[in-house]
Amino acid sequence: FNACKANTKFIEYTVAGMPCIASDTIVYRDSLAEGRGLLARTPEDWFDAMESIINNPIGAHSMLEKAQSALHSNWSADALRDQLIRICNLPAALRALDQPSG
Protein backbone atom coordinates (compact mmCIF):
# COMPACT_ATOMS: atom_id res chain seq x y z
CA PHE A 1 0.00 0.00 0.00
CA ASN A 2 2.68 2.53 1.00
CA ALA A 3 4.79 1.76 -2.07
CA CYS A 4 1.97 2.99 -4.31
CA LYS A 5 1.38 6.35 -2.66
CA ALA A 6 1.78 9.66 -4.45
CA ASN A 7 3.49 12.70 -2.99
CA THR A 8 0.19 14.52 -2.57
CA LYS A 9 0.90 15.64 0.99
CA PHE A 10 4.16 17.30 -0.14
CA ILE A 11 2.39 19.10 -2.99
CA GLU A 12 -0.59 20.25 -0.90
CA TYR A 13 1.54 21.49 2.01
CA THR A 14 3.94 23.27 -0.31
CA VAL A 15 1.15 24.99 -2.24
CA ALA A 16 -0.40 26.03 1.09
CA GLY A 17 2.94 27.57 2.17
CA MET A 18 3.68 25.08 4.94
CA PRO A 19 6.87 23.07 5.48
CA CYS A 20 6.18 19.38 5.03
CA ILE A 21 6.79 16.55 7.47
CA ALA A 22 5.96 13.14 6.03
CA SER A 23 6.37 9.46 6.75
CA ASP A 24 9.72 8.06 5.71
CA THR A 25 8.51 6.23 2.60
CA ILE A 26 9.98 5.98 -0.89
CA VAL A 27 7.79 8.67 -2.45
CA TYR A 28 8.51 11.21 0.25
CA ARG A 29 12.24 10.47 0.36
CA ASP A 30 12.49 11.80 -3.18
CA SER A 31 10.08 14.70 -2.71
CA LEU A 32 11.57 15.94 0.56
CA ALA A 33 15.23 15.31 -0.37
CA GLU A 34 17.80 18.10 -0.39
CA GLY A 35 16.20 19.99 2.48
CA ARG A 36 12.69 20.29 1.01
CA GLY A 37 11.05 18.74 4.09
CA LEU A 38 11.48 16.40 7.02
CA LEU A 39 10.91 12.65 7.24
CA ALA A 40 9.69 10.80 10.31
CA ARG A 41 9.46 7.12 11.26
CA THR A 42 8.72 7.10 14.97
CA PRO A 43 6.53 9.27 17.19
CA GLU A 44 9.76 10.80 18.50
CA ASP A 45 10.83 11.67 14.94
CA TRP A 46 7.50 13.41 14.36
CA PHE A 47 7.82 15.37 17.59
CA ASP A 48 11.42 16.37 16.79
CA ALA A 49 10.48 17.46 13.27
CA MET A 50 7.57 19.59 14.50
CA GLU A 51 9.72 21.09 17.22
CA SER A 52 12.45 21.87 14.67
CA ILE A 53 10.03 23.74 12.43
CA ILE A 54 8.49 25.65 15.33
CA ASN A 55 11.82 26.59 16.92
CA ASN A 56 13.66 27.45 13.71
CA PRO A 57 11.40 29.66 11.57
CA ILE A 58 14.31 30.74 9.34
CA GLY A 59 15.17 27.10 8.61
CA ALA A 60 11.49 26.31 8.06
CA HIS A 61 11.21 29.19 5.60
CA SER A 62 14.32 28.01 3.74
CA MET A 63 12.87 24.48 3.59
CA LEU A 64 9.63 25.86 2.17
CA GLU A 65 11.46 27.93 -0.46
CA LYS A 66 13.38 24.84 -1.62
CA ALA A 67 10.14 22.86 -1.76
CA GLN A 68 8.32 25.55 -3.73
CA SER A 69 11.17 25.85 -6.21
CA ALA A 70 11.21 22.06 -6.73
CA LEU A 71 7.42 22.01 -6.99
CA HIS A 72 7.54 24.60 -9.75
CA SER A 73 10.31 22.77 -11.61
CA ASN A 74 9.26 19.15 -11.14
CA TRP A 75 5.53 19.06 -10.44
CA SER A 76 4.01 21.99 -12.34
CA ALA A 77 1.18 21.26 -14.76
CA ASP A 78 3.62 21.63 -17.66
CA ALA A 79 6.18 19.29 -16.07
CA LEU A 80 3.51 16.67 -15.33
CA ARG A 81 2.10 16.90 -18.85
CA ASP A 82 5.57 16.44 -20.33
CA GLN A 83 6.17 13.47 -18.04
CA LEU A 84 2.88 11.89 -19.14
CA ILE A 85 3.77 12.38 -22.80
CA ARG A 86 7.15 10.70 -22.24
CA ILE A 87 5.82 7.84 -20.11
CA CYS A 88 2.94 7.03 -22.43
CA ASN A 89 5.02 7.66 -25.54
CA LEU A 90 2.41 10.12 -26.73
CA PRO A 91 3.08 12.48 -29.62
CA ALA A 92 4.59 15.80 -28.59
CA ALA A 93 1.83 17.45 -30.66
CA LEU A 94 -0.44 16.95 -27.62
CA ARG A 95 1.36 19.90 -26.05
CA ALA A 96 -0.45 22.13 -28.50
CA LEU A 97 -3.78 21.16 -26.91
CA ASP A 98 -2.99 23.33 -23.90
CA GLN A 99 -1.95 26.35 -25.94
CA PRO A 100 -4.59 29.00 -26.54
CA SER A 101 -5.51 29.47 -30.16
CA GLY A 102 -4.67 32.84 -31.44
Side-chain angles (χ1 to χ4, degrees):
F1 174 78
N2 284 335
C4 295
K5 286 188 174 184
N7 63 348
T8 306
K9 180 187 293 187
F10 165 74
I11 292 170
E12 290 175 343
Y13 280 40
T14 301
V15 168
M18 300 173 3
C20 185
I21 304 169
S23 295
D24 189 359
T25 59
I26 293 169
V27 68
Y28 289 120
R29 281 183 210 130
D30 290 339
S31 300
L32 277 63
E34 300 176 9
R36 294 187 292 262
L38 300 172
L39 297 170
R41 285 182 182 249
T42 67
E44 292 80 17
D45 291 344
W46 282 92
F47 179 84
D48 291 345
M50 288 185 277
E51 188 175 53
S52 172
I53 287 172
I54 291 167
N55 291 332
N56 184 359
I58 293 171
H61 182 73
S62 175
M63 183 186 310
L64 179 60
E65 284 182 333
K66 290 175 188 177
Q68 289 175 332
S69 177
L71 185 68
H72 178 72
S73 298
N74 302 321
W75 293 283
S76 68
D78 289 340
L80 294 175
R81 183 191 61 241
D82 291 345
Q83 180 184 40
L84 184 62
I85 288 170
R86 282 191 317 275
I87 289 171
C88 297
N89 199 25
L90 298 173
L94 288 177
R95 296 176 193 185
L97 295 177
D98 279 342
Q99 304 302 320
S101 57

